Structure formats: structure tokens, C-alpha cells
Coordinates of all heavy atoms in Angstrom, one line a residue:
M29 N 27.6 4.8 4.4 CA 27.1 6.2 4.1 C 25.8 6.4 4.9 O 24.9 5.7 4.9 CB 26.7 6.2 2.6 CG 26.3 7.6 2.2 SD 26.3 7.7 0.4 CE 24.5 8.0 0.1
M30 N 25.8 7.5 5.6 CA 24.7 7.9 6.5 C 23.6 8.7 5.7 O 24.0 9.6 5.0 CB 25.2 8.7 7.7 CG 24.2 8.9 8.7 SD 25.0 9.7 10.1 CE 23.7 9.8 11.2
S31 N 22.4 8.3 5.8 CA 21.3 9.0 5.1 C 20.8 10.2 5.9 O 20.7 10.1 7.1 CB 20.1 8.0 4.9 OG 19.1 8.7 4.3
T32 N 20.6 11.3 5.2 CA 20.1 12.5 5.9 C 18.6 12.7 5.4 O 18.1 13.8 5.6 CB 20.9 13.7 5.6 OG1 21.0 13.9 4.1 CG2 22.4 13.5 6.1
T33 N 18.0 11.7 4.9 CA 16.7 11.9 4.4 C 15.7 12.0 5.5 O 15.7 11.2 6.5 CB 16.3 10.6 3.5 OG1 17.2 10.5 2.5 CG2 14.9 10.8 2.9
R34 N 14.8 13.0 5.4 CA 13.8 13.2 6.5 C 12.5 12.6 6.0 O 12.3 12.4 4.8 CB 13.7 14.7 6.8 CG 13.1 15.5 5.7 CD 12.9 16.9 6.2 NE 12.4 17.8 5.1 CZ 11.1 17.7 4.6 NH1 10.2 16.9 5.1 NH2 10.7 18.5 3.6
A35 N 11.6 12.4 6.9 CA 10.3 11.9 6.5 C 9.5 12.9 5.7 O 9.6 14.1 5.9 CB 9.6 11.5 7.8
I36 N 8.7 12.3 4.8 CA 7.7 13.1 4.1 C 6.6 13.6 5.0 O 6.1 12.8 5.8 CB 7.2 12.3 2.9 CG1 8.3 12.0 1.9 CG2 6.0 13.0 2.2 CD1 7.9 11.1 0.7
S37 N 6.2 14.8 4.8 CA 5.1 15.3 5.6 C 4.0 15.9 4.7 O 4.2 16.0 3.5 CB 5.6 16.4 6.6 OG 5.9 17.6 5.9
L38 N 2.9 16.4 5.3 CA 1.8 17.0 4.6 C 2.3 18.3 3.9 O 1.6 18.7 3.0 CB 0.6 17.2 5.5 CG -0.1 16.0 6.0 CD1 -1.2 16.4 6.9 CD2 -0.7 15.2 4.8
D39 N 3.3 18.9 4.4 CA 3.8 20.1 3.8 C 4.7 20.0 2.6 O 5.0 20.9 1.9 CB 4.6 20.9 4.9 CG 3.8 21.3 6.1 OD1 2.6 21.6 5.9 OD2 4.3 21.3 7.2
D40 N 5.0 18.7 2.3 CA 5.9 18.5 1.1 C 5.1 18.3 -0.2 O 3.9 18.1 -0.2 CB 6.7 17.2 1.4 CG 7.7 17.4 2.5 OD1 8.5 18.4 2.4 OD2 7.8 16.6 3.4
T41 N 5.9 18.4 -1.3 CA 5.3 18.0 -2.6 C 6.1 16.8 -3.0 O 7.3 16.7 -2.9 CB 5.6 19.2 -3.5 OG1 4.8 20.3 -3.1 CG2 5.2 18.9 -5.0
V42 N 5.4 15.8 -3.6 CA 6.0 14.6 -4.1 C 5.6 14.3 -5.5 O 4.6 14.8 -6.0 CB 5.6 13.4 -3.2 CG1 6.1 13.6 -1.7 CG2 4.1 13.2 -3.2
A43 N 6.4 13.5 -6.1 CA 6.1 13.0 -7.5 C 6.7 11.6 -7.6 O 7.7 11.2 -7.0 CB 6.7 13.9 -8.5
A44 N 6.0 10.8 -8.4 CA 6.5 9.5 -8.8 C 7.8 9.7 -9.5 O 8.0 10.6 -10.3 CB 5.5 8.8 -9.7
A45 N 8.8 8.9 -9.1 CA 10.2 9.1 -9.7 C 10.1 8.7 -11.2 O 9.4 7.8 -11.6 CB 11.2 8.2 -8.9
Q46 N 10.9 9.4 -11.9 CA 11.0 9.2 -13.4 C 11.7 7.8 -13.6 O 12.5 7.3 -12.8 CB 11.8 10.3 -14.0 CG 11.2 11.6 -13.9 CD 9.8 11.7 -14.7 OE1 9.7 11.3 -15.8 NE2 8.8 12.3 -14.0
G47 N 11.3 7.2 -14.7 CA 12.0 6.0 -15.2 C 11.5 4.7 -14.5 O 12.1 3.6 -14.7
Q48 N 10.4 4.7 -13.8 CA 9.8 3.5 -13.2 C 8.8 2.9 -14.2 O 8.2 3.7 -15.0 CB 9.2 3.8 -11.9 CG 10.0 4.6 -10.9 CD 11.4 4.0 -10.7 OE1 11.6 2.8 -10.6 NE2 12.3 4.9 -10.6
I49 N 8.6 1.6 -14.2 CA 7.6 1.0 -15.0 C 6.5 0.5 -14.1 O 6.8 -0.2 -13.1 CB 8.3 -0.2 -15.8 CG1 9.4 0.3 -16.7 CG2 7.2 -0.9 -16.6 CD1 10.2 -0.8 -17.4
A50 N 5.3 0.9 -14.4 CA 4.1 0.5 -13.6 C 3.1 -0.1 -14.5 O 2.9 0.3 -15.7 CB 3.5 1.7 -12.9
A51 N 2.5 -1.2 -14.1 CA 1.5 -1.9 -14.8 C 0.4 -2.6 -13.9 O 0.8 -3.0 -12.8 CB 2.1 -3.0 -15.7
D52 N -0.8 -2.6 -14.4 CA -1.8 -3.3 -13.6 C -1.7 -4.8 -13.9 O -1.7 -5.2 -15.0 CB -3.2 -2.8 -14.1 CG -4.3 -3.4 -13.2 OD1 -4.5 -4.6 -13.2 OD2 -5.1 -2.6 -12.6
V53 N -1.6 -5.6 -12.8 CA -1.5 -7.0 -12.9 C -2.5 -7.6 -12.0 O -2.4 -7.6 -10.7 CB -0.1 -7.5 -12.5 CG1 0.0 -9.0 -12.6 CG2 1.0 -6.9 -13.4
G54 N -3.6 -8.1 -12.5 CA -4.6 -8.7 -11.7 C -5.2 -7.8 -10.7 O -5.5 -8.3 -9.6
G55 N -5.5 -6.6 -11.0 CA -6.1 -5.6 -10.0 C -5.1 -5.0 -9.1 O -5.5 -4.2 -8.2
E56 N -3.8 -5.3 -9.2 CA -2.8 -4.7 -8.3 C -1.8 -4.0 -9.2 O -1.5 -4.4 -10.3 CB -2.0 -5.8 -7.6 CG -0.9 -5.3 -6.7 CD -0.2 -6.4 -5.9 OE1 0.6 -7.1 -6.5 OE2 -0.5 -6.5 -4.7
L57 N -1.4 -2.8 -8.8 CA -0.4 -2.0 -9.5 C 1.0 -2.5 -9.2 O 1.3 -2.6 -8.0 CB -0.5 -0.5 -9.3 CG 0.4 0.3 -10.1 CD1 0.0 0.4 -11.5 CD2 0.5 1.7 -9.5
V58 N 1.7 -2.9 -10.1 CA 3.1 -3.4 -9.9 C 4.0 -2.4 -10.5 O 3.9 -2.0 -11.6 CB 3.3 -4.8 -10.5 CG1 4.8 -5.2 -10.4 CG2 2.4 -5.8 -9.9
I59 N 5.0 -1.9 -9.7 CA 5.9 -0.9 -10.1 C 7.3 -1.6 -10.1 O 7.7 -2.2 -9.1 CB 5.9 0.3 -9.1 CG1 4.5 0.9 -9.0 CG2 6.9 1.3 -9.6 CD1 4.4 1.8 -7.8
L60 N 8.0 -1.4 -11.2 CA 9.4 -2.0 -11.3 C 10.4 -0.8 -11.1 O 10.3 0.2 -11.8 CB 9.6 -2.6 -12.6 CG 11.1 -3.1 -12.9 CD1 11.5 -4.2 -12.0 CD2 11.2 -3.5 -14.4
N61 N 11.2 -0.9 -10.1 CA 12.3 0.0 -9.9 C 13.4 -0.4 -10.9 O 14.1 -1.4 -10.7 CB 12.8 0.0 -8.5 CG 13.9 1.0 -8.3 OD1 14.8 1.3 -9.2 ND2 14.0 1.6 -7.1
V62 N 13.5 0.3 -12.0 CA 14.4 0.0 -13.1 C 15.9 -0.1 -12.6 O 16.6 -1.0 -13.0 CB 14.3 0.9 -14.3 CG1 15.2 0.6 -15.4 CG2 12.8 0.9 -14.8
A63 N 16.3 0.8 -11.7 CA 17.6 0.9 -11.3 C 18.0 -0.4 -10.4 O 19.2 -0.9 -10.5 CB 17.9 2.1 -10.4
T64 N 17.1 -0.9 -9.6 CA 17.4 -2.0 -8.8 C 16.9 -3.4 -9.2 O 17.3 -4.4 -8.7 CB 16.9 -1.8 -7.3 OG1 15.4 -1.8 -7.4 CG2 17.4 -0.5 -6.8
G65 N 15.9 -3.3 -10.1 CA 15.3 -4.6 -10.6 C 14.3 -5.1 -9.6 O 13.7 -6.2 -9.8
E66 N 14.0 -4.4 -8.5 CA 13.0 -4.8 -7.6 C 11.6 -4.3 -8.0 O 11.5 -3.2 -8.6 CB 13.3 -4.2 -6.2 CG 14.6 -4.8 -5.6 CD 14.9 -4.3 -4.2 OE1 14.0 -4.2 -3.4 OE2 16.0 -3.9 -4.0
Y67 N 10.6 -5.1 -7.6 CA 9.2 -4.6 -7.9 C 8.4 -4.5 -6.7 O 8.7 -5.2 -5.7 CB 8.6 -5.5 -9.0 CG 8.3 -6.9 -8.5 CD1 7.0 -7.2 -7.9 CD2 9.2 -7.9 -8.6 CE1 6.7 -8.5 -7.5 CE2 8.9 -9.2 -8.2 CZ 7.6 -9.5 -7.6 OH 7.4 -10.7 -7.2
Y68 N 7.4 -3.7 -6.7 CA 6.6 -3.4 -5.6 C 5.1 -3.4 -6.0 O 4.8 -3.0 -7.1 CB 6.9 -2.0 -5.0 CG 8.3 -1.8 -4.6 CD1 9.3 -1.5 -5.6 CD2 8.7 -2.0 -3.3 CE1 10.6 -1.4 -5.3 CE2 10.1 -2.0 -3.0 CZ 11.0 -1.6 -4.0 OH 12.3 -1.6 -3.6
G69 N 4.3 -4.0 -5.2 CA 2.8 -4.1 -5.5 C 2.0 -3.1 -4.6 O 2.3 -3.0 -3.4
L70 N 1.1 -2.5 -5.3 CA 0.2 -1.6 -4.6 C -1.3 -2.0 -4.8 O -1.7 -2.4 -5.9 CB 0.3 -0.1 -5.1 CG 1.7 0.5 -5.0 CD1 1.7 1.9 -5.6 CD2 2.1 0.6 -3.5
N71 N -2.1 -2.0 -3.7 CA -3.5 -2.3 -3.8 C -4.2 -1.1 -4.5 O -3.5 -0.2 -5.0 CB -4.1 -2.6 -2.4 CG -4.0 -1.4 -1.5 OD1 -3.9 -0.2 -1.9 ND2 -4.2 -1.6 -0.2
A72 N -5.5 -1.2 -4.6 CA -6.3 -0.2 -5.3 C -6.1 1.2 -4.8 O -5.9 2.2 -5.5 CB -7.8 -0.5 -5.3
V73 N -6.0 1.4 -3.5 CA -5.8 2.7 -2.9 C -4.4 3.2 -3.2 O -4.2 4.4 -3.6 CB -6.1 2.8 -1.4 CG1 -5.8 4.1 -0.8 CG2 -7.5 2.4 -1.1
G74 N -3.4 2.3 -3.0 CA -2.0 2.7 -3.4 C -1.9 3.1 -4.8 O -1.2 4.0 -5.2
A75 N -2.6 2.3 -5.7 CA -2.6 2.7 -7.1 C -3.2 4.0 -7.4 O -2.6 4.8 -8.2 CB -3.3 1.6 -7.9
R76 N -4.2 4.4 -6.7 CA -4.8 5.7 -6.8 C -3.8 6.8 -6.4 O -3.7 7.8 -7.0 CB -6.1 5.8 -6.0 CG -6.8 7.1 -6.1 CD -7.2 7.5 -7.5 NE -7.9 8.7 -7.6 CZ -7.6 9.7 -8.5 NH1 -6.7 9.5 -9.4 NH2 -8.3 10.8 -8.4
I77 N -3.1 6.5 -5.3 CA -2.1 7.5 -4.8 C -1.0 7.7 -5.9 O -0.6 8.8 -6.2 CB -1.5 7.1 -3.5 CG1 -2.6 7.2 -2.4 CG2 -0.3 7.9 -3.1 CD1 -2.3 6.5 -1.1
W78 N -0.6 6.6 -6.4 CA 0.5 6.6 -7.5 C 0.0 7.4 -8.7 O 0.7 8.3 -9.2 CB 0.8 5.2 -7.9 CG 1.9 5.1 -8.9 CD1 1.8 4.9 -10.3 CD2 3.3 5.2 -8.7 NE1 3.0 4.9 -10.9 CE2 4.0 5.1 -9.9 CE3 4.0 5.4 -7.5 CZ2 5.3 5.1 -10.0 CZ3 5.4 5.4 -7.6 CH2 6.1 5.3 -8.9
E79 N -1.3 7.3 -9.0 CA -1.9 8.1 -10.1 C -1.9 9.6 -9.8 O -1.6 10.4 -10.6 CB -3.3 7.6 -10.4 CG -4.0 8.3 -11.5 CD -5.5 7.8 -11.7 OE1 -5.7 6.6 -11.3 OE2 -6.3 8.5 -12.2
L80 N -2.3 9.9 -8.5 CA -2.3 11.3 -8.1 C -1.0 12.0 -8.1 O -0.9 13.2 -8.2 CB -3.0 11.4 -6.7 CG -4.5 11.0 -6.7 CD1 -5.0 10.9 -5.2 CD2 -5.3 12.1 -7.4
I81 N 0.1 11.2 -7.9 CA 1.4 11.8 -7.8 C 2.2 11.6 -9.1 O 3.4 11.7 -9.1 CB 2.2 11.3 -6.6 CG1 2.5 9.8 -6.7 CG2 1.5 11.7 -5.3 CD1 3.5 9.3 -5.6
G82 N 1.5 11.4 -10.2 CA 2.2 11.3 -11.5 C 2.9 12.5 -11.9 O 3.9 12.5 -12.6
E83 N 2.5 13.6 -11.4 CA 3.1 14.9 -11.5 C 3.3 15.5 -10.1 O 2.6 15.1 -9.2 CB 2.3 15.9 -12.4 CG 2.1 15.4 -13.8 CD 1.4 16.5 -14.7 OE1 1.3 17.6 -14.2 OE2 1.1 16.1 -15.8
P84 N 4.3 16.4 -9.9 CA 4.5 16.9 -8.6 C 3.2 17.5 -8.0 O 2.5 18.3 -8.6 CB 5.5 18.1 -8.8 CG 6.3 17.6 -10.0 CD 5.2 16.9 -10.9
T85 N 2.9 16.9 -6.8 CA 1.6 17.3 -6.1 C 1.9 17.4 -4.6 O 2.5 16.6 -4.0 CB 0.6 16.1 -6.3 OG1 0.5 15.9 -7.7 CG2 -0.7 16.5 -5.8
P86 N 1.3 18.5 -4.0 CA 1.4 18.6 -2.6 C 0.7 17.4 -1.9 O -0.4 17.0 -2.3 CB 0.7 19.9 -2.3 CG 0.7 20.7 -3.6 CD 0.6 19.6 -4.7
V87 N 1.4 16.9 -0.9 CA 0.9 15.8 -0.1 C -0.5 16.1 0.5 O -1.4 15.3 0.5 CB 1.9 15.3 0.9 CG1 1.3 14.2 1.8 CG2 3.2 14.8 0.3
A88 N -0.7 17.3 0.9 CA -1.9 17.7 1.5 C -3.1 17.6 0.5 O -4.2 17.3 0.8 CB -1.8 19.1 2.1
D89 N -2.8 17.9 -0.8 CA -3.8 17.8 -1.8 C -4.1 16.4 -2.1 O -5.3 16.1 -2.4 CB -3.3 18.5 -3.1 CG -3.2 20.0 -3.0 OD1 -3.6 20.6 -2.0 OD2 -2.7 20.6 -4.0
V90 N -3.1 15.5 -2.1 CA -3.4 14.1 -2.2 C -4.3 13.6 -1.1 O -5.3 12.9 -1.3 CB -2.1 13.2 -2.2 CG1 -2.4 11.7 -2.3 CG2 -1.2 13.6 -3.4
L91 N -4.0 14.0 0.1 CA -4.9 13.6 1.3 C -6.3 14.1 1.1 O -7.3 13.4 1.3 CB -4.3 14.2 2.6 CG -5.2 14.0 3.8 CD1 -5.3 12.5 4.2 CD2 -4.6 14.8 5.0
D92 N -6.5 15.4 0.7 CA -7.8 15.9 0.5 C -8.6 15.1 -0.6 O -9.8 14.9 -0.4 CB -7.7 17.4 0.1 CG -7.3 18.3 1.2 OD1 -7.3 17.9 2.4 OD2 -6.9 19.4 0.9
E93 N -7.9 14.8 -1.7 CA -8.6 14.0 -2.7 C -9.0 12.6 -2.2 O -10.1 12.1 -2.5 CB -7.7 13.9 -4.0 CG -8.3 13.2 -5.1 CD -9.6 13.8 -5.6 OE1 -9.7 15.1 -5.6 OE2 -10.4 13.1 -6.2
L94 N -8.1 12.0 -1.5 CA -8.4 10.6 -0.9 C -9.6 10.7 0.0 O -10.5 9.9 0.0 CB -7.2 10.1 -0.2 CG -6.0 9.7 -1.1 CD1 -4.9 9.2 -0.2 CD2 -6.4 8.6 -2.1
L95 N -9.7 11.8 0.8 CA -10.8 11.9 1.7 C -12.1 12.2 1.0 O -13.2 11.8 1.4 CB -10.5 13.0 2.7 CG -9.4 12.7 3.8 CD1 -9.1 13.9 4.6 CD2 -9.9 11.6 4.7
R96 N -12.0 12.8 -0.2 CA -13.2 13.0 -1.0 C -13.7 11.7 -1.6 O -14.9 11.4 -1.7 CB -12.9 14.0 -2.1 CG -13.1 15.5 -1.7 CD -13.1 16.4 -2.9 NE -11.8 16.5 -3.6 CZ -10.8 17.3 -3.2 NH1 -11.0 18.1 -2.1 NH2 -9.7 17.3 -3.8
E97 N -12.7 10.9 -2.1 CA -13.0 9.7 -2.8 C -13.4 8.5 -1.8 O -14.2 7.7 -2.1 CB -11.9 9.2 -3.6 CG -11.6 10.2 -4.8 CD -10.5 9.8 -5.7 OE1 -10.0 8.6 -5.6 OE2 -9.9 10.7 -6.4
Y98 N -12.7 8.5 -0.7 CA -12.9 7.4 0.3 C -13.6 7.9 1.5 O -12.9 8.2 2.5 CB -11.6 6.7 0.6 CG -11.0 6.1 -0.6 CD1 -10.0 6.8 -1.3 CD2 -11.3 4.8 -1.1 CE1 -9.4 6.3 -2.5 CE2 -10.7 4.3 -2.3 CZ -9.8 5.0 -2.9 OH -9.2 4.5 -4.1
T99 N -14.9 8.1 1.5 CA -15.6 8.7 2.6 C -15.7 7.9 3.9 O -16.1 8.4 4.9 CB -17.0 9.2 2.2 OG1 -17.7 8.0 1.7 CG2 -16.9 10.2 1.0
D100 N -15.3 6.6 3.8 CA -15.5 5.7 5.0 C -14.2 5.7 5.9 O -14.2 5.0 6.8 CB -15.8 4.3 4.5 CG -14.8 3.7 3.6 OD1 -14.0 4.5 2.9 OD2 -14.7 2.5 3.5
V101 N -13.2 6.5 5.5 CA -12.0 6.6 6.4 C -11.9 7.9 7.0 O -12.2 9.0 6.4 CB -10.7 6.2 5.5 CG1 -10.5 7.3 4.5 CG2 -9.5 6.1 6.4
D102 N -11.4 7.9 8.3 CA -11.3 9.2 9.0 C -9.9 9.9 8.6 O -9.0 9.2 8.2 CB -11.4 9.1 10.5 CG -10.3 8.3 11.1 OD1 -9.2 8.8 11.2 OD2 -10.6 7.1 11.6
R103 N -9.9 11.2 8.8 CA -8.7 12.0 8.4 C -7.4 11.5 9.0 O -6.4 11.4 8.4 CB -9.0 13.4 8.7 CG -7.8 14.4 8.2 CD -8.2 15.8 8.5 NE -7.4 16.7 7.6 CZ -7.6 17.0 6.4 NH1 -8.7 16.5 5.8 NH2 -6.8 17.8 5.7
E104 N -7.5 11.2 10.3 CA -6.3 10.7 11.0 C -5.7 9.4 10.5 O -4.5 9.3 10.2 CB -6.6 10.6 12.5 CG -5.4 10.2 13.4 CD -5.8 10.1 14.8 OE1 -6.4 11.0 15.3 OE2 -5.3 9.1 15.5
R105 N -6.6 8.5 10.2 CA -6.1 7.2 9.7 C -5.6 7.4 8.2 O -4.6 6.8 7.9 CB -7.3 6.2 9.7 CG -7.0 4.9 9.0 CD -6.0 4.1 9.8 NE -5.6 2.9 9.0 CZ -6.1 1.7 9.3 NH1 -7.0 1.5 10.2 NH2 -5.7 0.7 8.6
C106 N -6.3 8.1 7.5 CA -5.9 8.4 6.1 C -4.6 9.1 6.0 O -3.7 8.7 5.2 CB -7.0 9.2 5.4 SG -6.8 9.3 3.6
T107 N -4.4 10.1 6.9 CA -3.1 10.8 6.9 C -1.9 9.8 7.3 O -0.9 9.8 6.6 CB -3.1 11.9 8.0 OG1 -4.2 12.8 7.6 CG2 -1.8 12.7 8.0
A108 N -2.1 9.0 8.3 CA -1.1 8.1 8.7 C -0.8 7.1 7.6 O 0.4 6.8 7.4 CB -1.5 7.4 10.0
D109 N -1.8 6.5 7.0 CA -1.6 5.5 6.0 C -0.9 6.1 4.7 O 0.0 5.5 4.1 CB -2.9 4.9 5.6 CG -3.4 3.9 6.6 OD1 -2.7 3.7 7.6 OD2 -4.6 3.5 6.5
L110 N -1.3 7.3 4.4 CA -0.7 8.0 3.2 C 0.7 8.3 3.4 O 1.6 8.0 2.6 CB -1.5 9.3 2.9 CG -0.9 10.3 1.9 CD1 -0.8 9.6 0.5 CD2 -1.7 11.5 1.8
L111 N 1.1 8.9 4.6 CA 2.5 9.2 4.9 C 3.3 8.0 5.0 O 4.5 8.0 4.5 CB 2.5 10.1 6.2 CG 1.9 11.5 6.0 CD1 2.0 12.2 7.4 CD2 2.6 12.3 5.0
A112 N 2.8 6.9 5.6 CA 3.5 5.6 5.6 C 3.8 5.1 4.2 O 5.0 4.7 4.0 CB 2.7 4.6 6.4
L113 N 2.9 5.1 3.4 CA 3.1 4.6 2.0 C 4.1 5.5 1.3 O 5.0 5.0 0.6 CB 1.8 4.5 1.2 CG 2.0 4.1 -0.3 CD1 2.5 2.7 -0.4 CD2 0.6 4.3 -1.0
L114 N 3.9 6.8 1.3 CA 4.8 7.7 0.6 C 6.2 7.6 1.1 O 7.2 7.6 0.3 CB 4.3 9.2 0.7 CG 3.1 9.5 0.0 CD1 2.7 10.9 0.2 CD2 3.2 9.3 -1.5
N115 N 6.4 7.4 2.4 CA 7.8 7.2 3.0 C 8.4 5.9 2.6 O 9.6 5.8 2.3 CB 7.7 7.4 4.5 CG 7.8 8.9 4.9 OD1 8.7 9.6 4.6 ND2 6.7 9.4 5.4
D116 N 7.5 4.8 2.5 CA 8.0 3.5 2.0 C 8.5 3.7 0.6 O 9.5 3.1 0.2 CB 7.0 2.5 2.2 CG 6.7 2.0 3.6 OD1 7.6 2.4 4.5 OD2 5.7 1.3 3.8
L117 N 7.6 4.3 -0.3 CA 8.0 4.5 -1.7 C 9.2 5.3 -1.8 O 10.0 5.1 -2.7 CB 6.8 5.1 -2.4 CG 5.6 4.2 -2.6 CD1 4.4 4.9 -3.2 CD2 5.9 2.9 -3.3
H118 N 9.4 6.3 -1.0 CA 10.5 7.2 -1.1 C 11.8 6.4 -0.7 O 12.8 6.6 -1.3 CB 10.3 8.4 -0.1 CG 11.4 9.4 -0.2 ND1 12.3 9.6 0.8 CD2 11.7 10.3 -1.2 CE1 13.2 10.6 0.4 NE2 12.8 11.0 -0.8
A119 N 11.7 5.6 0.3 CA 12.8 4.8 0.8 C 13.2 3.8 -0.4 O 14.4 3.5 -0.5 CB 12.5 4.0 2.0
A120 N 12.3 3.4 -1.2 CA 12.6 2.5 -2.3 C 12.9 3.3 -3.6 O 13.0 2.7 -4.6 CB 11.3 1.6 -2.6
S121 N 13.1 4.6 -3.5 CA 13.5 5.4 -4.6 C 12.4 5.5 -5.7 O 12.7 5.7 -6.9 CB 14.8 5.0 -5.2 OG 15.8 5.1 -4.2
L122 N 11.2 5.3 -5.3 CA 10.1 5.3 -6.3 C 9.3 6.6 -6.3 O 8.6 6.9 -7.2 CB 9.1 4.2 -6.0 CG 9.6 2.8 -6.2 CD1 8.6 1.7 -5.7 CD2 10.1 2.5 -7.6
V123 N 9.6 7.4 -5.2 CA 8.9 8.7 -5.1 C 10.0 9.8 -4.8 O 11.0 9.5 -4.0 CB 7.9 8.7 -3.9 CG1 7.5 10.1 -3.5 CG2 6.7 7.9 -4.3
E124 N 9.9 10.9 -5.4 CA 10.8 12.0 -5.2 C 10.1 13.0 -4.4 O 9.0 13.4 -4.6 CB 11.2 12.6 -6.6 CG 12.0 11.7 -7.5 CD 12.2 12.3 -8.9 OE1 11.6 13.3 -9.2 OE2 12.9 11.7 -9.6
M125 N 10.9 13.5 -3.4 CA 10.3 14.6 -2.5 C 10.8 15.9 -3.0 O 12.0 16.1 -3.2 CB 10.7 14.3 -1.1 CG 10.2 15.3 -0.1 SD 10.4 14.8 1.7 CE 12.1 14.4 1.8
R126 N 10.0 16.9 -3.1 CA 10.3 18.2 -3.4 C 10.3 19.0 -2.2 O 9.6 18.8 -1.2 CB 9.3 18.8 -4.4 CG 9.1 17.9 -5.7 CD 10.4 17.8 -6.5 NE 10.4 16.8 -7.5 CZ 9.9 16.9 -8.7 NH1 9.4 18.0 -9.1 NH2 9.9 15.8 -9.5
A127 N 11.2 20.0 -2.1 CA 11.2 20.9 -0.9 C 9.9 21.5 -0.6 O 9.2 21.9 -1.6 CB 12.3 22.0 -1.1
A128 N 9.6 21.6 0.6 CA 8.3 22.3 1.0 C 8.4 23.7 0.6 O 9.5 24.4 0.8 CB 8.1 22.1 2.5
H129 N 7.4 24.3 0.1 CA 7.3 25.7 -0.3 C 5.9 26.2 -0.2 O 5.0 25.4 -0.1 CB 7.9 25.9 -1.7 CG 7.2 25.1 -2.8 ND1 7.3 23.8 -3.0 CD2 6.2 25.6 -3.6 CE1 6.6 23.4 -4.0 NE2 5.9 24.5 -4.4
A130 N 5.8 27.5 -0.2 CA 4.5 28.1 0.0 C 3.7 27.9 -1.3 O 4.1 28.3 -2.3 CB 4.6 29.5 0.3
I131 N 2.5 27.3 -1.1 CA 1.6 27.1 -2.2 C 0.3 27.7 -1.6 O -0.1 27.4 -0.5 CB 1.4 25.6 -2.6 CG1 2.7 25.0 -3.1 CG2 0.3 25.5 -3.6 CD1 2.6 23.5 -3.4
G132 N -0.4 28.5 -2.4 CA -1.6 29.1 -2.0 C -2.7 28.0 -1.6 O -3.1 27.4 -2.5
H133 N -3.0 27.9 -0.4 CA -4.0 26.9 0.1 C -5.2 27.7 0.6 O -5.1 28.5 1.4 CB -3.5 26.0 1.2 CG -2.7 24.9 0.6 ND1 -3.2 23.8 0.1 CD2 -1.3 24.7 0.5 CE1 -2.2 22.9 -0.3 NE2 -1.1 23.5 -0.1

């Protein structure tokens, strides 16, 4: 089966997929994909991103919040790291991508 999934961009809205189990284990957020039985670990920044996408949130808003909270990272690096993580989580079916739509920015 060929996948037609496109990469998540700053114009998209994402949300943590429903039905996942997440818990803090020794300072790392561990997420269990209930459907596959696989688990994934996120560091503190990844855990913060997971928290920010608990409800459908524009990726650009997540980026803006991260830049406010983590002032020692530049926008280009933060953008690249955020999109890489979201795309990895999406590939693992832990994040749902919503269609890009006009949101008043």
C-alpha cells in the first residue's frame, strides 16, 4: 500500500492522536501507541510539545510558544526540530494532522 501522507508544515494544525497513553517516567515522557503496542520516549522539550498539542493547535502557534519559552534557540533550528518531531510522531500514528485552513493570525 502506497502512502500519500505529506509532511507536516507550519501551515497545518495538529493534535495528539486519541487513545494514546502518556506518562512521565524518570523525567522523560513515554507514550504508548495502544494500537501497535510500541512506546516512544520524549525529552523535556518533546514533552512540552506533546502538552501543547493536546488539543488541535496550529503548528505555527506551537513554534511561537516554544520560541517564547526557550529563548536560547534560534527560529530556524526550532522550526526544523519541531517539524522533524511532529513528522516522526505522525509517522508513528501518535499525531493527527488537520487540513490547513485559514486561521486569523
Side-chain angles (χ1 to χ4, degrees):
M29 184 169 118
M30 189 172 179
S31 175
T32 59
T33 304
R34 66 173 179 78
I36 293 173
S37 75
L38 290 177
D39 296 325
D40 291 310
T41 295
V42 297
Q46 297 295 314
Q48 310 308 320
I49 298 172
D52 185 300
V53 178
E56 180 178 75
L57 183 71
V58 176
I59 305 166
L60 173 66
N61 181 324
V62 177
T64 65
E66 294 182 45
Y67 68 92
Y68 302 84
L70 298 178
N71 64 17
V73 177
R76 179 63 178 133
I77 292 167
W78 185 258
E79 181 181 335
L80 290 170
I81 63 170
E83 295 186 11
T85 306
V87 176
D89 290 357
V90 175
L91 176 64
D92 290 343
E93 183 60 30
L94 292 174
L95 290 169
R96 275 192 291 277
E97 294 179 19
Y98 300 96
T99 57
D100 59 336
V101 66
D102 66 71
R103 183 176 200 83
E104 183 177 315
R105 173 68 186 263
C106 190
T107 300
D109 289 351
L110 172 61
L111 293 176
L113 176 63
L114 290 176
N115 280 294
D116 287 348
L117 293 174
H118 186 251
S121 300
L122 296 174
V123 167
E124 298 172 347
M125 182 169 50
R126 307 295 166 89
H129 59 282
I131 298 176
H133 281 279

